[in-house]
Amino acid sequence: MSTESAVPTPGTVRPGGRTARTRSAVRDAVLTGLAEHGYPGLTVEYVAERSGIHKTTVYRRWGSVEGLVADALDLAGEDAWTPPDTGNLEGDLRALAREVTETFGSASAAAAPTAFIAAAFQSERAAQALRDFYTERFARCESVVRRAVDRGEAPSGTDSAAVVRAVSAPLFFRALITREPIDTPLADQTAAAVAAAVRAGAYLPARR
């Protein structure tokens, strides 16, 4: 019997108590392992030793490195993060862009999230977990555009997910593709450009 069929899909159960502590310890070990060794170097044995959870338990509950990475992303999506509310669209976008620079602006901070992205290129299960994570993040950011529409800063019908992608994409491109430095001035410039594009109706649904 494959481990895929024997292990519940990560995120389908929301346990508490000792089970939650076990899951959190395993996730922390996964993050450390990804930061230190990358996805190719991450092993169930490493996670078991680092977390203090018996290897048999890790195999039984997560099944594989793919399961561990997917569940770590799923658990990350259960946090209490909310999008900024600065009182205006450009301020909100600026705050979002600055969060990206804080996460990917230094090698130490970027190690684990970069490893998650690399894992998505090597594992379809990790890729789906990463897509789910960002889909959920985009959904939380709908309030940024909704408030902007209510204030008259954005046309009704503006695609909130497209706006969030637009403010993040140039920073991700530099940080992950061209390996150029990203900083606060760049984040602010990107936010200003996207805010202007929103006001111009650039993120309305395309007319057919």
Side-chain angles (χ1 to χ4, degrees):
M1 181 173 64
S2 70
T3 55
E4 193 72 29
S5 61
V7 180
T9 300
T12 57
V13 179
R14 299 290 186 252
R18 186 173 65 180
T19 302
R21 291 192 295 273
T22 296
R23 190 178 176 210
S24 180
V26 167
R27 174 184 179 266
D28 289 345
V30 170
L31 291 174
T32 301
L34 287 173
E36 291 180 353
H37 306 294
Y39 181 73
L42 184 67
T43 65
V44 171
E45 289 73 16
Y46 172 92
V47 171
E49 181 177 356
R50 181 84 186 191
S51 65
I53 307 302
H54 197 279
K55 180 173 66 174
T56 302
T57 300
V58 177
Y59 271 114
R60 183 176 68 249
R61 291 189 54 192
W62 286 273
S64 64
V65 169
E66 282 187 312
L68 287 164
V69 171
D71 193 44
L73 275 167
D74 186 68
L75 190 57
E78 296 175 18
D79 64 11
W81 180 86
T82 56
D85 184 0
T86 65
N88 63 84
L89 175 62
E90 186 169 334
D92 290 351
L93 296 180
R94 187 184 305 119
L96 286 171
R98 288 183 179 186
E99 285 190 22
V100 176
T101 64
E102 290 171 4
T103 301
F104 291 93
S106 69
S108 58
T114 300
F116 273 126
I117 294 169
F121 283 92
Q122 301 174 67
S123 160
E124 178 52 36
R125 191 171 178 186
Q128 184 59 57
L130 190 66
R131 285 192 292 271
D132 291 345
F133 174 82
Y134 277 107
T135 296
E136 197 272 341
R137 276 294 194 264
F138 294 151
R140 294 192 201 186
C141 289
E142 288 178 359
S143 60
V144 170
V145 173
R146 185 168 60 250
R147 291 193 300 263
V149 171
D150 292 342
R151 289 189 296 255
E153 297 175 296
S156 178
T158 297
D159 185 335
S160 58
V163 172
V164 177
R165 288 189 181 96
V167 80
S168 305
L171 303 172
F172 282 138
F173 183 85
R174 289 194 182 211
L176 302 173
I177 304 301
T178 62
R179 307 298 291 170
E180 298 174 79
I182 56 176
D183 54 21
T184 298
L186 177 64
D188 293 351
Q189 180 187 62
T190 302
V194 174
V198 169
R199 290 190 292 269
Y203 300 105
L204 291 170
R207 294 180 179 178
R208 298 186 182 277

